[in-house]
Amino acid sequence: MAEVVLRDLVKTYAGATVRATDEVSLEVADGEFMVLLGPSGCGKTTLLRMVAGLELPDSGQIVIGDQDVTYLEPRRRNLSMVFQSYAVFPNKNVAENIGFGLRVRGTPAAEVRRKVEWAADLLQLSPYLDRYPAKLSGGQRQRVAVARAIVMDADVLLMDEPLSNLDALLRLSFRAELKKLVGELGTTTLYVTHDQVEALSLGDRVAVMREGRIAQCDAPTAVYDDPANEFVGGFLGSPPMNFLTGTVERDGSKLDLGGQSLAVPHALSTFAGRTLKLGVRPEAIEVAGGDGALQGELQVLEPLGSSALLTTEICGQPVKVQAPPTFRAEPGGSLSLRIPPEACRWYDPETSLLLEVR
Ligand SMILES: Nc1ncnc2c1ncn2[C@@H]1O[C@H](COP(=O)(O)OP(=O)(O)OP(=O)(O)O)[C@@H](O)[C@H]1O
Ligand SMILES: [Mg+2]
């Protein structure tokens, strides 16, 4: 096992005008499960391929354990990979597929058999060892690819969207299996996904990427509860965080949203006379009257089974509210909405950065 340290990794593909990764630095602790999350094209696969040695950075450094591997050949990095396409060999059965890497490495047959059986047992593939991939389901094939990677006893496990080809239900069950498995293995893992639920569920920490950079790297609850910038708040969550823009009144105590106002923490009174953005999650807003409640106009109500999603407007600004599943009201009507002070996150509109007020 080993820690992985990335320092200022820059990669520009030939002919490209923008950097695929732009001075990315990241430290993954020994045994940690690190998820790289971000929209398509933000540089996740590029970063993983540089760690694997399949791409060379223009500049920067990659250290695994105590070895600088930046320019080391892939096979000498002692890592194993599972890729999006999870290519399994169609002309080899499950056991041969899982043991392939070990045999190439010259591992004795008895040892290969022992490891294949161990991995097959962990991934519930034991009944299928003699089957060929054509007769496996997508989920089983994907498990074969994972099994093949874990038998290698690598220091580092790299996975690029290994669940991407599964349907929603399979994804859900395999996600839990994978979490259990990786917890048991304790191998340092870098896991790429653009699925935020998967990222939050699996990661010890989540590095949220945007345009070749890391926008925030922290524990799942931290990136969700305290997005470091508007991008992270607007990327995580379904629906994502709401942002309301207002002007802080002269005495610094309230944010005027355009006719209605909301209390501002004392620490932000320095913003008096300036604009400020309020970030609040849809599930944190309560449909309730009382002190400080704002009036919103209900535009759409969507019953979603476990909740009701309300599309509303406060002072002409769109706000999504996640209400209890039994909530009913007629669109076009007015709603009292309460935004609890502890659910408010404040952002500087000039920098998009979270303002520390607690
Ligand atoms: N081989 C390549 N040659 C040129 N440009 C590339 C190459 N591979 C990736 N890129 C570009 O580099 C940027 C990052 O791509 P990358 O594949 O790392 O993104 P990603 O985050 O993995 O996206 P996705 O979620 O779609 O897989 C993109 O702008 C992409 O177009
Ligand atoms: Mg990718």
Side-chain angles (χ1 to χ4, degrees):
M1 291 204 283
E3 63 170 348
V4 178
V5 179
L6 314 182
R7 289 199 189 102
D8 299 322
L9 286 177
V10 175
K11 173 75 188 179
T12 313
Y13 287 103
T17 49
V18 292
R19 291 171 167 186
T21 67
D22 192 2
E23 297 181 8
V24 171
S25 294
L26 186 66
E27 295 195 8
V28 189
D30 188 7
E32 186 175 27
F33 195 112
M34 174 69 78
V35 176
L36 302 174
L37 172 73
S40 185
C42 71
K44 306 180 293 293
T45 295
T46 303
L47 204 58
L48 212 65
R49 288 176 61 84
M50 286 194 286
V51 177
L54 302 172
E55 296 288 349
L56 291 181
D58 306 343
S59 60
Q61 191 187 30
I62 302 167
V63 179
I64 299 178
D66 47 16
Q67 193 180 19
D68 182 335
V69 301
T70 318
Y71 300 104
L72 202 66
E73 290 175 63
R75 63 187 178 85
R76 295 181 56 209
R77 296 187 182 202
N78 197 20
L79 36 81
S80 57
M81 287 171 271
V82 184
F83 286 114
Q84 200 162 350
S85 53
Y86 65 95
V88 290
F89 304 111
N91 56 342
K92 294 189 195 307
N93 67 24
V94 169
E96 290 161 348
N97 261 289
I98 299 175
F100 179 75
L102 291 172
R103 274 193 303 276
V104 168
R105 204 195 257 173
T107 311
E111 170 79 359
V112 173
R113 198 172 324 119
R114 194 183 62 74
K115 285 219 160 135
V116 167
E117 281 168 9
W118 166 79
D121 185 42
L122 273 178
L123 288 156
Q124 294 163 31
L125 289 167
S126 304
Y128 313 110
L129 285 173
D130 298 326
R131 275 210 208 166
Y132 284 83
K135 293 193 172 167
L136 296 175
S137 72
Q140 289 163 340
R141 252 175 271 163
Q142 204 126 38
R143 291 207 293 268
V144 172
V146 173
R148 192 169 58 189
I150 64 169
V151 291
M152 301 300 288
D153 279 336
D155 290 333
V156 180
L157 198 53
L158 303 177
M159 295 199 242
D160 194 349
E161 312 233 11
L163 310 188
S164 58
N165 294 334
L166 303 186
D167 68 41
L169 259 185
L170 259 181
R171 235 181 135 105
L172 200 66
S173 66
F174 195 24
R175 191 174 79 208
E177 284 175 38
L178 194 65
K179 180 162 180 154
K180 185 158 163 272
L181 171 70
V182 173
E184 285 166 13
L185 291 176
T187 310
T188 310
T189 303
L190 263 150
Y191 185 100
V192 164
T193 181
H194 61 255
D195 180 330
Q196 48 169 309
V197 180
E198 208 170 289
L200 297 176
S201 139
L202 290 172
D204 291 321
R205 282 191 297 159
V206 179
V208 185
M209 292 187 65
R210 177 197 198 187
E211 295 173 358
R213 289 173 169 266
I214 292 177
Q216 184 175 8
C217 177
D218 214 329
T221 47
V223 288
Y224 189 82
D225 293 341
D226 298 297
N229 47 63
E230 287 178 40
F231 172 77
V232 174
F235 185 71
L236 286 179
S238 174
M241 188 173 245
N242 293 296
F243 291 100
L244 287 156
T245 307
T247 308
V248 180
E249 291 177 1
R250 282 186 183 280
D251 67 359
S253 70
K254 285 191 162 151
L255 184 71
D256 179 3
L257 297 169
Q260 302 188 62
S261 59
L262 184 89
V264 166
H266 185 67
L268 295 176
S269 55
T270 49
F271 273 79
R274 291 169 54 192
T275 59
L276 191 61
K277 263 193 188 174
L278 161 69
V280 60
R281 293 250 172 236
E283 67 273 22
I285 303 176
E286 296 160 12
V287 185
D291 257 11
L294 298 166
Q295 292 308 303
E297 189 193 297
L298 177 63
Q299 294 177 329
V300 181
L301 186 154
E302 297 169 73
L304 298 181
S306 61
S307 66
L309 181 60
L310 317 182
T311 300
T312 71
E313 258 186 14
I314 296 175
C315 301
Q317 303 193 53
V319 176
K320 298 270 190 194
V321 178
Q322 198 176 318
T326 51
F327 180 82
R328 290 292 175 271
E330 285 305 313
S334 172
L335 289 179
S336 287
L337 300 172
R338 204 179 86 81
I339 303 180
E342 65 276 12
C344 294
R345 299 293 175 270
W346 304 93
Y347 293 86
D348 183 337
E350 279 177 22
T351 61
S352 292
L353 296 179
L354 177 69
L355 296 160
E356 290 296 336
V357 293
R358 281 162 297 160

